[in-house]
Amino acid sequence: MNSLLTDRGILWLGTLLYLAGFAVGCIQLLRKQQATGERTLLNLLLAFGLATQTAGLYVRGLAHGGCPLGNQFEIVQFVAWSAMVLYFIVGPAFRVSLLGLFTAGYAASLAAISLALPQWDLTRGTKLFGNNPWIEFHAALAVFSYGVFGLLALTSIMHLLQNWALKHKRLDGLFWFLPSVVQLDQINQRMLMAGVGLLTISLAVGASWWVRDTASVHWPKLLVTLSVWAVYGGALVLRWRGFLYAVRFSWTCVALFLLAMLSLGPINANRESHRVELTPER
């Protein structure tokens, strides 16, 4: 019983709720019950999952005395949490009926993988941000932008599926509930703008502190983050100029997110090498 009350135990419960929501969504899809009334159970499970995951991250935050972004496990959990928060914010606005199902599977997968790899959670750093709220805000906002890019990857996959269905004249099953390719393309552009905007603000907040204390800058980590910002910003410019759209735009968004997630490894490895204090996993 005590093990269930630990931060990891709480996070496991949140992951199981996400998985339950995904299973319910799949069953409703197979039964062709994706109307608003039939999505209530799915959204309830996801809401409870989000609340539970929030509680688990809060417990870890209390142990750190700050935002739980101390190792790769916590970063991946935070990315999954960010995507679910964004779903509840943008889902009703975009009226994408299958977004809950896709987000549930995505968040559950990230959370489960991070929990299943104990090496990601072997060490925790104390005073990771040096008791500096601005650097902590910078880090949280940067990781939150990865959550936006994750949701963008999901809507891009939905766009690719709908495009494939139209080409092959498959308008039944899953494809029946997907929004139009035009709507999904517009959603993708807005999501990309939001992600780039958040990451830009994050870098600006960090820069305002780094110019006063250049010794605190972890250059490899900064270069990786700037690279992620540059490629997403470049994709946004190409989208505005009309060089990147429709299927190419969706494939680009999916590929960029995979690269962004791979970049978390070097970022975390560099941070590990700069820790002042390390405490073993208890």
Side-chain angles (χ1 to χ4, degrees):
M1 181 64 180
N2 290 335
S3 62
L4 294 177
L5 298 178
T6 63
D7 49 13
R8 291 180 65 89
I10 297 172
L11 291 171
W12 265 117
L13 179 58
T15 302
L16 292 176
L17 286 169
Y18 288 155
L19 285 171
F22 180 71
V24 167
C26 288
I27 292 172
Q28 292 174 348
L29 183 63
L30 292 173
R31 294 178 177 177
K32 298 184 179 181
Q33 294 179 336
Q34 279 288 304
T36 302
E38 283 77 15
R39 292 202 307 271
T40 302
L41 179 57
L42 167 63
N43 285 330
L44 280 175
L45 287 169
L46 297 186
F48 280 120
L50 176 61
T52 304
Q53 187 183 26
T54 302
L57 291 173
Y58 177 73
V59 171
R60 291 184 74 93
L62 288 179
H64 290 308
C67 191
L69 294 171
N71 54 35
Q72 192 163 353
F73 166 76
E74 293 174 351
I75 292 174
V76 173
Q77 283 282 334
F78 199 88
V79 170
W81 176 86
S82 301
M84 191 58 67
V85 170
L86 286 164
Y87 162 68
F88 280 105
I89 294 174
V90 307
F94 289 149
R95 297 181 181 179
V96 182
S97 60
L98 286 181
L99 189 56
L101 175 65
F102 278 65
T103 307
Y106 163 75
S109 298
L110 283 185
I113 290 172
S114 66
L115 286 163
L117 295 174
Q119 61 268 31
W120 284 5
D121 197 27
L122 289 178
T123 59
R124 300 183 188 179
T126 61
K127 299 181 180 179
L128 178 63
F129 304 104
N131 292 326
N132 188 320
W134 288 108
I135 297 300
E136 185 171 353
F137 177 68
H138 146 76
L141 201 59
V143 178
F144 196 87
S145 71
Y146 278 54
V148 179
F149 295 141
L151 207 61
L152 168 60
L154 291 181
T155 54
S156 296
I157 291 172
M158 294 170 71
H159 180 275
L160 293 171
L161 288 172
Q162 184 66 294
N163 183 76
W164 181 89
L166 291 174
K167 283 186 175 181
H168 293 81
K169 298 181 180 181
R170 291 286 303 274
L171 301 178
D172 56 346
L174 168 71
F175 309 106
W176 175 259
F177 301 103
L178 289 170
S180 69
V181 290
V182 174
Q183 182 185 7
L184 286 168
D185 190 59
Q186 292 173 345
I187 290 173
N188 289 348
Q189 181 175 349
R190 294 172 190 172
M191 294 293 290
L192 180 58
M193 292 172 59
V196 172
L198 287 172
L199 191 53
T200 301
I201 295 172
S202 168
L203 289 170
V205 170
S208 66
W209 174 261
W210 295 327
V211 294
R212 290 176 281 174
D213 185 12
T214 56
S216 67
V217 180
H218 298 167
W219 292 107
K221 179 185 114 176
L222 179 59
L223 290 175
V224 170
T225 305
L226 284 172
S227 298
V228 172
W229 173 79
V231 294
Y232 271 106
L236 182 58
V237 171
L238 291 174
R239 180 68 175 83
W240 282 339
R241 297 293 298 273
F243 293 108
L244 198 61
Y245 57 90
V247 173
R248 284 186 295 176
F249 182 49
S250 293
W251 277 117
T252 299
C253 292
V254 173
L256 289 182
F257 179 65
L258 293 176
L259 292 175
M261 290 301 291
L262 289 175
S263 75
L264 293 178
I267 288 175
N268 186 67
N270 177 72
R271 177 164 50 200
E272 292 286 345
S273 67
H274 282 82
R275 290 186 191 276
V276 176
E277 297 179 58
L278 291 175
T279 56
E281 174 69 15
R282 289 178 296 179

